[in-house]
Amino acid sequence: MTVSHGYVQQAQRAGCVMNQDTIRTVLTAHANLTEESFEAGVDYYDSEETRDLFSNLPLCPQGGQYSAKLDAAGENLVVTCDLHGEELE
C-alpha cells in the first residue's frame, strides 16, 4: 500500500463520516419539523420518505451501506456504515 493510497482511504472515511452526520441531521430535523417520532426497529435510511428528502441520497465513498435506526435507549437516531461503523461525535 502506498502512502497516497492511505490518504485516499482516510479521505473516503472522512467523507463517509460527513455523510452519516448529514443523514442524521436531515432525518432528525425532518422529524422535529413534522412532530413525528422515530420507531424502534425501523431503518430510516432505506425508506421512500428519506429518498424524497435528499436530491441525491448520500452514499459511502467506499461502497458501504448506511442504516439509520433509533438507539437502544429509544432516544437518538444513530447512523452507521457497515464498513466504517458509527459516525463520530
Side-chain angles (χ1 to χ4, degrees), residues 5 10 13 20 26-28 37 51 53-55 57 61-62 66 69 71 75-76:
H5 181 72
Q10 286 179 326
R13 176 164 171 59
Q20 291 177 61
V26 168
L27 292 177
T28 301
S37 57
R51 287 187 288 277
L53 291 173
F54 290 92
S55 57
L57 198 59
Q62 290 182 303
Y66 294 129
K69 297 180 180 181
D71 66 6
E75 297 176 4
N76 298 301

Side-chain angles (χ1 to χ4, degrees), residues 9-47:
Q9 284 186 321
Q10 286 179 326
Q12 289 174 329
R13 176 164 171 59
C16 179
V17 170
M18 288 174 40
N19 283 347
Q20 291 177 61
D21 185 52
T22 299
I23 294 164
R24 182 187 49 77
T25 300
V26 168
L27 292 177
T28 301
H30 177 71
N32 289 337
L33 287 171
T34 59
E35 298 180 359
E36 295 177 14
S37 57
F38 297 112
E39 296 177 29
V42 176
D43 185 350
Y44 288 92
Y45 179 76
D46 189 27
S47 72

